[in-house]
Every structure is written in C-alpha cells, then in structure tokens.
Amino acid sequence: MILVQEHKEPQHNLKTEKFLTPKRLSLALSQHAGEPSTPCVSLGQEIKEAQNIATSSGYISSPLHAPCDGKIIAIEIGNHPVLRKSECITIQCQANNKGYPSLIKNIENTTKESLLKDIKDAGIVGLGGAAFPAHVKLNPPKKIDTIVINGCECEPYLSTDNRMMIENLTEIFKGIEIIAKIIEPNEIIFAIESNKPEAIKKLNLFINTKKFGFSKIRLSVLKTAYPQGGEKQLIFSTTNRKVEPGKLPLDIGCLVQNVATAFAIYEAVYLKKPLIERLVSFCGDALLKPKNVWVKIGTSLQELFDEKILEFKEEPKKVISGGPMMGVCLDNLNYPILKGSGGFLFLSSPVSEEKEYPCIRCARCIDACPMNLLPLEYAKIIKKEKYNLLTDLSIKDCIECGCCAWVCPSKIPLVHYVKIGKKYEPKNI
Ligand code: SF4
Ligand code: SF4
C-alpha cells in the first residue's frame, strides 16, 4: 500500500447538502455489475416516484426505479460516466420527494428470504464503487463467519462515507443488523481509517453504549493508506486472512459491505424505499466550494452547475468521475450520476504529466502493488500485443487501484495497459 495526499478537506468536515428537485433525469440501464436492466416503461408514459422502470435481466442484475414523478421522454443511447455510452431512460420530472415513513419498527420477526427480497426489489447495489447487486452478495454459496463493514474510504478527496458515519450512524447500524440477520456471522468488524477522528469517536460511543440485534462487533481503526478499503486488503488488515489469487472473500468465510450500502439496505427494508438517491462528493480545487450532496440518481453534472448547487472558481482542466486513483476522465458535464458514483473531481490542473517515458526498471510499481503483481511486465507484454504471455501473470487479480501508475517515475499509464490486457487476454485462461 502507498501513502497519497488525502485532499479530504474541507468537504470531509462540512455537513451534507441536498439537491432533490432536478428538472430532468437520465437513468442508465447499466448502473451495476452484471447484466443491464430491461426497460418496463414506454415513451410518453407517466410514472410515479419509486415505480419500477426497468427490471433485472438475470441472476447478476438489478432493477431500476423512478427517482421522481414524471414522464418518460426518451429511451435511447445516452452518456454514461464510466462506459461513455449506454442505453438510458430519460425522465422529465414533475414532482419529487413523496416521503417514506418507516413501515416497521424492528426486523426480529422478518425472515431472511423476505429481507433479501426487499433488498433485491429496491435495486440495492454496492455503493463502495463496484455496484455489485447486494441481494446476490448477501446470498453466498458458502458459510460466512466474518462480516467486515467498510468505512475506510481510502480514495483521496472522497468523503461521503465519512459524512454518513457522522450523520447517519443509527440507520447504518440498522442496515448492519439486517445484514447480520441474513448472514448470521460469528463476528462483525467495523473497519475505518485513522484519518476520520469524528466518525471514530461516534462509532466508539455507539458500539459501547447501544444494544444491537447481533452479538459480536468490534471497531478496527486502520492506518491511513491506499488502497486500505480494497476488499482483499481490508480482509487481510482486519482478520489476517489472505484471499489467494483467483479466489473470492467468501472462499475464506468473509463478506465486505460498505457503510453506504448498509444505509441503503436500511432504507429498502424499513422504508420500502428503492435506491433512487445517493450521497456524492464533489471536490477539487476548481470548485468554489467542494461539498457532499444528496442527489437523485440520474441527475446530470450540468444541472448541478445550472442550479448553482456547484460553482466553478476557475475552469477545470480535468473532470474525473470517481477519485484520482481509480476514476475515469470526462470530456464534458453532460453525464448523469449513477448508483455507483461516489464522487466527481474538478481539477484546475491535470493530475499527472501525460507524456510517457521509457521504463527504467526501478521496480517501484512492484513494491507499490497491494496484490503482489508485476505491472511493468504487463505494460511490456501489452505494448508488444503478446497477450498469451499474460497467462501466468494473474492479470485478473489486478484491482485497478492505480498504485503502480501513481509511483511510476516514467509516468507509464500502467492501469490503462492492464485494462487492455484484461480485455485481450485469451479467455480460456
Ligand atoms: S515504476 Fe515505472 S519505470 Fe519503474 S519499473 Fe515500474 S513501470 Fe518501470
Ligand atoms: S497492478 Fe493493479 S493491483 Fe497492482 S498496483 Fe497496479 S493497478 Fe493496483
């Protein structure tokens, strides 16, 4: 793991804001890992907030819901902040925020099956970045003895998890209770990095004074390093168990859930509220005031500036969907917020030099790689298009954390090469 400049101030310490009255929303059907959802509405149809507008298309898929009352004005290919283009449902918004009173008091008398159905029907996906459908992750084929709740948020700039742990801890713990009821683990570990003192103080107080519907939970305060919040790194840091190459956390009895996902699970079960809003970090030195804002899924970046929710201090030289380590550059502001969008960065200068120099074989990329891979070899092989040579180099285990590229003195875009390598690696490997 590496140390990177955090850039979490000032948004880290500011109360969250809300913008829940957009004029128009664009909902990509590819919001999650797995198969894109399938539209179940038609052009011109009037819809109500929380109505299902696209159904899941397979085992690893998730439904999509209307974030507001309105009318379907397009179902066509539109902008996607990660894939560039995807089929999208566009809604002209008419009314927002119908309100979601709590429908149940506790989950004691609710079955696991019913909880999983609520989570599936609400379209909950992992909000830590991967957007993996939560009902699939919470129905593992093997016994899980340890749940790790991920509050690390190690990517520089981003601070939504920190704010949620400060502002929404009760709801997060109700979500953890639901997860624990479904999985029945022996232990729950709440993991957080040491750079979040206010959240740590609240968590300590909460864990030591409240009663929960699960027995064993402990707080694990980890050193601030990148990528501490990566699933495999987090499991090793908290349990000392290693997920071997090609294996999954469930193979060693572990399951990791992000704090924001726990919050969304609480809303799905207690409020019957689908995943139609999320907290997003808007940061970077090109913004007048970096902040964390609750927005409807599908809100465009452009509308946030049009409505003066965000303002530029100066014209950005670089706009990134995500953080500086794993994010994707955007060429304009006409991109919608996805279920998995944790943040957007607006920078007054490029993050790094664009020009690539020859490899000097310094091995810094190898030392920095948290997965013990050989990024310099990937770049060499991929430049020569000898993809079959990737066979023995476990390229699939690369988590695209960006540590190798960050430390490379020759500015070689190593993650870019990895992405190409993963795409062209022979499939029978
Ligand atoms: S860090 Fe860059 S220059 Fe050094 S070995 Fe790796 S790829 Fe080559
Ligand atoms: S090779 Fe992959 S896992 Fe290793 S440092 Fe580079 S991006 Fe991260």
Side-chain angles (χ1 to χ4, degrees):
M1 285 194 269
I2 59 170
L3 292 178
V4 290
Q5 255 196 307
E6 293 174 28
H7 295 288
K8 301 261 187 194
E9 306 287 346
Q11 63 276 8
H12 192 70
N13 294 320
L14 298 176
K15 203 168 172 337
T16 56
E17 297 183 15
K18 284 185 182 174
F19 174 66
L20 301 175
T21 52
K23 292 191 179 78
R24 183 183 280 226
L25 296 168
S26 173
L27 290 120
L29 298 175
S30 293
Q31 293 270 348
H32 47 262
E35 288 296 309
S37 44
T38 307
C40 56
V41 287
S42 49
L43 201 59
Q45 186 176 336
E46 302 278 346
I47 40 135
K48 291 284 178 201
E49 180 174 328
Q51 181 179 331
N52 192 196
I53 57 170
T55 55
S56 42
S57 309
Y59 180 62
I60 300 180
S61 186
S62 191
L64 200 53
H65 302 79
C68 60
D69 291 1
K71 190 175 179 180
I72 306 293
I73 57 167
I75 302 175
E76 61 189 14
I77 300 294
N79 284 351
H80 188 291
V82 180
L83 304 174
R84 297 287 173 231
K85 295 286 175 192
S86 158
E87 195 176 5
C88 298
I89 299 176
T90 308
I91 301 172
Q92 190 70 49
C93 306
Q94 287 160 359
N96 291 281
N97 313 318
K98 72 183 184 98
Y100 297 86
S102 184
L103 298 175
I104 53 173
K105 282 206 165 49
N106 60 56
I107 53 152
E108 265 169 38
N109 301 320
T110 317
T111 64
K112 282 186 208 181
E113 292 71 27
S114 155
L115 295 172
L116 278 171
K117 183 174 183 313
D118 282 349
I119 293 166
K120 181 181 181 184
D121 290 350
I124 308 301
V125 301
L127 298 180
F132 193 82
H135 65 279
V136 181
K137 194 169 187 181
L138 290 174
N139 194 15
K142 294 182 182 173
K143 168 70 185 156
I144 299 293
D145 59 55
T146 304
I147 292 174
V148 183
I149 300 298
N150 187 356
C152 285
E153 201 168 41
C154 56
E155 178 94 23
Y157 289 92
L158 308 187
S159 57
T160 56
D161 289 351
N162 178 54
R163 289 314 310 173
M164 288 188 80
M165 288 186 284
I166 292 168
E167 297 178 26
N168 305 100
L169 208 49
T170 303
E171 293 85 356
I172 289 171
F173 269 82
K174 283 187 173 176
I176 296 172
E177 230 164 14
I178 296 165
I179 296 167
K181 170 124 190 184
I182 296 169
I183 298 292
E184 298 179 349
N186 300 338
E187 187 182 30
I188 298 173
I189 303 168
F190 201 123
I192 186 168
E193 279 190 337
S194 57
N195 62 351
K196 302 175 181 63
E198 195 179 347
I200 292 169
K201 200 170 150 197
K202 289 209 165 207
L203 273 163
N204 259 321
L205 190 68
F206 212 87
I207 288 173
N208 292 325
T209 56
K210 303 267 186 203
K211 283 203 182 332
F212 307 108
F214 42 87
S215 49
K216 205 171 166 203
I217 182 163
R218 70 176 163 92
L219 184 63
S220 176
V221 180
L222 304 171
K223 71 171 184 186
T224 300
Y226 181 84
Q228 187 70 271
E231 279 201 342
K232 293 182 181 181
Q233 290 68 42
L234 191 60
I235 289 169
F236 185 72
S237 298
T238 53
T239 67
N240 223 18
R241 295 184 208 170
K242 199 169 170 213
V243 183
E244 294 298 336
K247 297 288 181 191
L248 295 168
L250 65 88
D251 293 316
I252 53 161
C254 292
L255 183 142
V256 178
Q257 279 289 5
N258 167 268
V259 288
T261 316
F263 178 87
I265 286 172
Y266 150 77
E267 290 203 321
V269 171
Y270 278 78
L271 315 183
K272 299 283 179 271
K273 181 176 177 181
L275 184 50
I276 55 173
E277 297 163 8
R278 72 156 296 153
L279 188 59
V280 183
S281 282
F282 299 100
C283 353
D285 61 351
L287 286 183
L288 193 60
K289 189 181 169 198
K291 56 177 75 165
N292 290 303
V293 188
W294 284 97
V295 292
K296 299 273 185 186
I297 305 297
T299 306
S300 84
L301 294 177
Q302 186 63 57
E303 185 165 357
L304 291 167
F305 286 93
D306 292 345
E307 296 294 327
K308 303 258 183 290
I309 306 301
L310 301 175
E311 288 179 76
F312 284 127
K313 188 166 69 183
E314 57 186 292
E315 200 58 34
K317 296 271 187 323
K318 200 159 196 170
V319 179
I320 300 174
S321 168
M325 304 299 287
M326 296 186 76
V328 178
C329 287
L330 302 180
D331 52 358
N332 65 66
L333 298 177
N334 287 315
Y335 284 93
I337 285 154
L338 304 174
K339 289 180 180 179
S341 302
F344 292 87
L345 255 181
F346 304 89
L347 299 171
S348 62
S349 55
V351 177
S352 58
E353 257 181 88
E354 303 295 334
K355 189 168 166 15
E356 177 184 335
Y357 296 92
C359 173
I360 55 169
R361 301 196 69 79
C362 64
R364 283 187 212 172
C365 54
I366 299 172
D367 293 342
C369 179
M371 302 301 292
N372 302 319
L373 302 174
L374 299 170
L376 80 166
E377 293 299 327
Y378 297 153
K380 203 167 82 184
I381 289 168
I382 291 157
K383 278 182 194 177
K384 290 181 184 161
E385 299 184 8
K386 302 243 163 119
Y387 302 114
N388 58 325
L389 297 180
L390 293 168
T391 308
D392 300 324
L393 296 177
S394 307
I395 195 168
K396 279 197 187 78
D397 282 324
C398 168
I399 56 171
E400 299 179 22
C401 65
C403 290
C404 50
W406 188 266
V407 298
C408 175
S410 296
K411 307 291 174 199
I412 300 170
L414 294 161
V415 187
H416 169 73
Y417 288 118
V418 166
K419 284 183 203 251
I420 297 173
K422 281 184 179 174
K423 197 166 158 193
Y424 292 109
E425 183 195 15
K427 294 289 176 223
N428 58 343
I429 292 162

PDB file of all heavy atoms in Angstrom, residues 22-26 45-47 68-74 89-95:
ATOM      1  N   PRO A  22     -34.437  17.886  -9.281  1.00  0.00           N
ATOM      2  CA  PRO A  22     -33.933  18.080 -10.646  1.00  0.00           C
ATOM      3  C   PRO A  22     -35.083  18.263 -11.636  1.00  0.00           C
ATOM      4  O   PRO A  22     -36.222  17.872 -11.361  1.00  0.00           O
ATOM      5  CB  PRO A  22     -33.185  16.779 -10.932  1.00  0.00           C
ATOM      6  CG  PRO A  22     -33.914  15.765 -10.108  1.00  0.00           C
ATOM      7  CD  PRO A  22     -34.353  16.477  -8.871  1.00  0.00           C
ATOM      8  N   LYS A  23     -34.758  18.852 -12.786  1.00  0.00           N
ATOM      9  CA  LYS A  23     -35.784  19.018 -13.833  1.00  0.00           C
ATOM     10  C   LYS A  23     -35.859  17.773 -14.720  1.00  0.00           C
ATOM     11  O   LYS A  23     -36.879  17.433 -15.265  1.00  0.00           O
ATOM     12  CB  LYS A  23     -35.442  20.234 -14.705  1.00  0.00           C
ATOM     13  CG  LYS A  23     -35.559  21.562 -13.960  1.00  0.00           C
ATOM     14  CD  LYS A  23     -35.475  22.704 -14.966  1.00  0.00           C
ATOM     15  CE  LYS A  23     -35.601  24.058 -14.299  1.00  0.00           C
ATOM     16  NZ  LYS A  23     -34.368  24.492 -13.646  1.00  0.00           N
ATOM     17  N   ARG A  24     -34.705  17.159 -14.894  1.00  0.00           N
ATOM     18  CA  ARG A  24     -34.621  16.038 -15.830  1.00  0.00           C
ATOM     19  C   ARG A  24     -33.606  15.022 -15.289  1.00  0.00           C
ATOM     20  O   ARG A  24     -32.616  15.410 -14.680  1.00  0.00           O
ATOM     21  CB  ARG A  24     -34.137  16.587 -17.169  1.00  0.00           C
ATOM     22  CG  ARG A  24     -34.056  15.586 -18.277  1.00  0.00           C
ATOM     23  CD  ARG A  24     -33.490  16.248 -19.504  1.00  0.00           C
ATOM     24  NE  ARG A  24     -34.501  17.020 -20.208  1.00  0.00           N
ATOM     25  CZ  ARG A  24     -34.684  16.972 -21.526  1.00  0.00           C
ATOM     26  NH1 ARG A  24     -33.906  16.222 -22.269  1.00  0.00           N
ATOM     27  NH2 ARG A  24     -35.603  17.686 -22.108  1.00  0.00           N
ATOM     28  N   LEU A  25     -33.909  13.749 -15.520  1.00  0.00           N
ATOM     29  CA  LEU A  25     -33.004  12.695 -15.060  1.00  0.00           C
ATOM     30  C   LEU A  25     -32.714  11.724 -16.196  1.00  0.00           C
ATOM     31  O   LEU A  25     -33.616  11.442 -16.998  1.00  0.00           O
ATOM     32  CB  LEU A  25     -33.636  11.916 -13.899  1.00  0.00           C
ATOM     33  CG  LEU A  25     -33.902  12.701 -12.608  1.00  0.00           C
ATOM     34  CD1 LEU A  25     -34.784  11.897 -11.671  1.00  0.00           C
ATOM     35  CD2 LEU A  25     -32.604  13.069 -11.918  1.00  0.00           C
ATOM     36  N   SER A  26     -31.484  11.244 -16.239  1.00  0.00           N
ATOM     37  CA  SER A  26     -31.129  10.238 -17.239  1.00  0.00           C
ATOM     38  C   SER A  26     -30.615   9.003 -16.504  1.00  0.00           C
ATOM     39  O   SER A  26     -29.564   9.053 -15.855  1.00  0.00           O
ATOM     40  CB  SER A  26     -30.053  10.807 -18.170  1.00  0.00           C
ATOM     41  OG  SER A  26     -29.596   9.793 -19.021  1.00  0.00           O
ATOM     42  N   GLN A  45     -44.955   7.603 -21.250  1.00  0.00           N
ATOM     43  CA  GLN A  45     -45.677   7.091 -20.069  1.00  0.00           C
ATOM     44  C   GLN A  45     -45.462   7.995 -18.853  1.00  0.00           C
ATOM     45  O   GLN A  45     -44.359   8.456 -18.596  1.00  0.00           O
ATOM     46  CB  GLN A  45     -45.190   5.666 -19.770  1.00  0.00           C
ATOM     47  CG  GLN A  45     -45.965   4.989 -18.657  1.00  0.00           C
ATOM     48  CD  GLN A  45     -45.506   3.544 -18.452  1.00  0.00           C
ATOM     49  OE1 GLN A  45     -44.966   2.894 -19.359  1.00  0.00           O
ATOM     50  NE2 GLN A  45     -45.708   3.027 -17.253  1.00  0.00           N
ATOM     51  N   GLU A  46     -46.559   8.235 -18.114  1.00  0.00           N
ATOM     52  CA  GLU A  46     -46.463   8.976 -16.841  1.00  0.00           C
ATOM     53  C   GLU A  46     -46.024   7.973 -15.773  1.00  0.00           C
ATOM     54  O   GLU A  46     -46.536   6.846 -15.716  1.00  0.00           O
ATOM     55  CB  GLU A  46     -47.833   9.552 -16.440  1.00  0.00           C
ATOM     56  CG  GLU A  46     -48.458  10.484 -17.465  1.00  0.00           C
ATOM     57  CD  GLU A  46     -47.919  11.910 -17.368  1.00  0.00           C
ATOM     58  OE1 GLU A  46     -47.279  12.241 -16.359  1.00  0.00           O
ATOM     59  OE2 GLU A  46     -48.143  12.678 -18.332  1.00  0.00           O
ATOM     60  N   ILE A  47     -45.092   8.388 -14.920  1.00  0.00           N
ATOM     61  CA  ILE A  47     -44.612   7.465 -13.885  1.00  0.00           C
ATOM     62  C   ILE A  47     -44.615   8.150 -12.523  1.00  0.00           C
ATOM     63  O   ILE A  47     -44.605   9.373 -12.433  1.00  0.00           O
ATOM     64  CB  ILE A  47     -43.182   6.964 -14.211  1.00  0.00           C
ATOM     65  CG1 ILE A  47     -42.329   8.126 -14.766  1.00  0.00           C
ATOM     66  CG2 ILE A  47     -43.200   5.839 -15.208  1.00  0.00           C
ATOM     67  CD1 ILE A  47     -41.003   8.192 -14.197  1.00  0.00           C
ATOM     68  N   CYS A  68     -38.423  10.174  -9.261  1.00  0.00           N
ATOM     69  CA  CYS A  68     -39.404  11.246  -9.058  1.00  0.00           C
ATOM     70  C   CYS A  68     -40.663  10.917  -9.875  1.00  0.00           C
ATOM     71  O   CYS A  68     -40.624  10.033 -10.725  1.00  0.00           O
ATOM     72  CB  CYS A  68     -38.824  12.575  -9.541  1.00  0.00           C
ATOM     73  SG  CYS A  68     -38.418  12.527 -11.281  1.00  0.00           S
ATOM     74  N   ASP A  69     -41.747  11.659  -9.632  1.00  0.00           N
ATOM     75  CA  ASP A  69     -42.899  11.578 -10.535  1.00  0.00           C
ATOM     76  C   ASP A  69     -42.486  12.242 -11.839  1.00  0.00           C
ATOM     77  O   ASP A  69     -41.679  13.191 -11.837  1.00  0.00           O
ATOM     78  CB  ASP A  69     -44.088  12.387  -9.979  1.00  0.00           C
ATOM     79  CG  ASP A  69     -44.681  11.758  -8.726  1.00  0.00           C
ATOM     80  OD1 ASP A  69     -44.167  10.728  -8.278  1.00  0.00           O
ATOM     81  OD2 ASP A  69     -45.664  12.331  -8.205  1.00  0.00           O
ATOM     82  N   GLY A  70     -43.062  11.830 -12.951  1.00  0.00           N
ATOM     83  CA  GLY A  70     -42.698  12.498 -14.203  1.00  0.00           C
ATOM     84  C   GLY A  70     -43.164  11.730 -15.408  1.00  0.00           C
ATOM     85  O   GLY A  70     -44.069  10.888 -15.332  1.00  0.00           O
ATOM     86  N   LYS A  71     -42.526  12.035 -16.534  1.00  0.00           N
ATOM     87  CA  LYS A  71     -42.912  11.440 -17.808  1.00  0.00           C
ATOM     88  C   LYS A  71     -41.658  10.911 -18.509  1.00  0.00           C
ATOM     89  O   LYS A  71     -40.612  11.586 -18.494  1.00  0.00           O
ATOM     90  CB  LYS A  71     -43.559  12.541 -18.657  1.00  0.00           C
ATOM     91  CG  LYS A  71     -44.234  12.071 -19.893  1.00  0.00           C
ATOM     92  CD  LYS A  71     -44.931  13.250 -20.542  1.00  0.00           C
ATOM     93  CE  LYS A  71     -45.623  12.848 -21.807  1.00  0.00           C
ATOM     94  NZ  LYS A  71     -46.297  13.964 -22.438  1.00  0.00           N
ATOM     95  N   ILE A  72     -41.781   9.743 -19.133  1.00  0.00           N
ATOM     96  CA  ILE A  72     -40.652   9.178 -19.883  1.00  0.00           C
ATOM     97  C   ILE A  72     -40.548   9.934 -21.220  1.00  0.00           C
ATOM     98  O   ILE A  72     -41.493   9.902 -22.017  1.00  0.00           O
ATOM     99  CB  ILE A  72     -40.856   7.670 -20.167  1.00  0.00           C
ATOM    100  CG1 ILE A  72     -41.136   6.886 -18.872  1.00  0.00           C
ATOM    101  CG2 ILE A  72     -39.661   7.085 -20.925  1.00  0.00           C
ATOM    102  CD1 ILE A  72     -40.022   6.807 -17.891  1.00  0.00           C
ATOM    103  N   ILE A  73     -39.428  10.629 -21.417  1.00  0.00           N
ATOM    104  CA  ILE A  73     -39.311  11.397 -22.667  1.00  0.00           C
ATOM    105  C   ILE A  73     -38.288  10.794 -23.644  1.00  0.00           C
ATOM    106  O   ILE A  73     -38.205  11.235 -24.785  1.00  0.00           O
ATOM    107  CB  ILE A  73     -38.993  12.890 -22.402  1.00  0.00           C
ATOM    108  CG1 ILE A  73     -37.710  13.033 -21.577  1.00  0.00           C
ATOM    109  CG2 ILE A  73     -40.163  13.579 -21.721  1.00  0.00           C
ATOM    110  CD1 ILE A  73     -37.182  14.454 -21.555  1.00  0.00           C
ATOM    111  N   ALA A  74     -37.554   9.825 -23.208  1.00  0.00           N
ATOM    112  CA  ALA A  74     -36.637   9.136 -24.148  1.00  0.00           C
ATOM    113  C   ALA A  74     -36.188   7.809 -23.555  1.00  0.00           C
ATOM    114  O   ALA A  74     -36.038   7.677 -22.330  1.00  0.00           O
ATOM    115  CB  ALA A  74     -35.415  10.006 -24.443  1.00  0.00           C
ATOM    116  N   ILE A  89     -32.883   5.728 -19.745  1.00  0.00           N
ATOM    117  CA  ILE A  89     -34.283   6.176 -19.690  1.00  0.00           C
ATOM    118  C   ILE A  89     -34.258   7.621 -19.190  1.00  0.00           C
ATOM    119  O   ILE A  89     -33.711   7.894 -18.119  1.00  0.00           O
ATOM    120  CB  ILE A  89     -35.111   5.301 -18.731  1.00  0.00           C
ATOM    121  CG1 ILE A  89     -35.118   3.847 -19.208  1.00  0.00           C
ATOM    122  CG2 ILE A  89     -36.528   5.848 -18.583  1.00  0.00           C
ATOM    123  CD1 ILE A  89     -35.840   2.886 -18.273  1.00  0.00           C
ATOM    124  N   THR A  90     -34.828   8.548 -19.974  1.00  0.00           N
ATOM    125  CA  THR A  90     -34.826   9.952 -19.564  1.00  0.00           C
ATOM    126  C   THR A  90     -36.201  10.335 -19.041  1.00  0.00           C
ATOM    127  O   THR A  90     -37.225  10.028 -19.665  1.00  0.00           O
ATOM    128  CB  THR A  90     -34.433  10.869 -20.742  1.00  0.00           C
ATOM    129  OG1 THR A  90     -33.208  10.370 -21.283  1.00  0.00           O
ATOM    130  CG2 THR A  90     -34.232  12.301 -20.291  1.00  0.00           C
ATOM    131  N   ILE A  91     -36.213  10.988 -17.889  1.00  0.00           N
ATOM    132  CA  ILE A  91     -37.473  11.380 -17.240  1.00  0.00           C
ATOM    133  C   ILE A  91     -37.546  12.900 -17.147  1.00  0.00           C
ATOM    134  O   ILE A  91     -36.591  13.557 -16.697  1.00  0.00           O
ATOM    135  CB  ILE A  91     -37.557  10.791 -15.804  1.00  0.00           C
ATOM    136  CG1 ILE A  91     -37.473   9.266 -15.850  1.00  0.00           C
ATOM    137  CG2 ILE A  91     -38.828  11.252 -15.094  1.00  0.00           C
ATOM    138  CD1 ILE A  91     -37.357   8.611 -14.485  1.00  0.00           C
ATOM    139  N   GLN A  92     -38.671  13.452 -17.610  1.00  0.00           N
ATOM    140  CA  GLN A  92     -38.968  14.865 -17.337  1.00  0.00           C
ATOM    141  C   GLN A  92     -39.635  14.883 -15.972  1.00  0.00           C
ATOM    142  O   GLN A  92     -40.716  14.319 -15.790  1.00  0.00           O
ATOM    143  CB  GLN A  92     -39.926  15.413 -18.416  1.00  0.00           C
ATOM    144  CG  GLN A  92     -40.125  16.913 -18.383  1.00  0.00           C
ATOM    145  CD  GLN A  92     -38.866  17.646 -18.826  1.00  0.00           C
ATOM    146  OE1 GLN A  92     -38.298  17.307 -19.855  1.00  0.00           O
ATOM    147  NE2 GLN A  92     -38.422  18.605 -18.028  1.00  0.00           N
ATOM    148  N   CYS A  93     -38.999  15.515 -14.991  1.00  0.00           N
ATOM    149  CA  CYS A  93     -39.504  15.422 -13.614  1.00  0.00           C
ATOM    150  C   CYS A  93     -40.684  16.364 -13.403  1.00  0.00           C
ATOM    151  O   CYS A  93     -40.697  17.494 -13.899  1.00  0.00           O
ATOM    152  CB  CYS A  93     -38.402  15.771 -12.624  1.00  0.00           C
ATOM    153  SG  CYS A  93     -36.915  14.791 -12.876  1.00  0.00           S
ATOM    154  N   GLN A  94     -41.659  15.891 -12.645  1.00  0.00           N
ATOM    155  CA  GLN A  94     -42.818  16.738 -12.331  1.00  0.00           C
ATOM    156  C   GLN A  94     -42.929  17.002 -10.840  1.00  0.00           C
ATOM    157  O   GLN A  94     -43.212  18.103 -10.423  1.00  0.00           O
ATOM    158  CB  GLN A  94     -44.106  16.087 -12.857  1.00  0.00           C
ATOM    159  CG  GLN A  94     -44.192  16.181 -14.374  1.00  0.00           C
ATOM    160  CD  GLN A  94     -45.141  15.177 -14.990  1.00  0.00           C
ATOM    161  OE1 GLN A  94     -45.746  14.364 -14.305  1.00  0.00           O
ATOM    162  NE2 GLN A  94     -45.260  15.211 -16.306  1.00  0.00           N
ATOM    163  N   ALA A  95     -42.746  15.998 -10.035  1.00  0.00           N
ATOM    164  CA  ALA A  95     -42.802  16.204  -8.580  1.00  0.00           C
ATOM    165  C   ALA A  95     -41.802  15.258  -7.931  1.00  0.00           C
ATOM    166  O   ALA A  95     -41.508  14.195  -8.471  1.00  0.00           O
ATOM    167  CB  ALA A  95     -44.197  15.916  -8.067  1.00  0.00           C
TER     168      ALA A  95
END
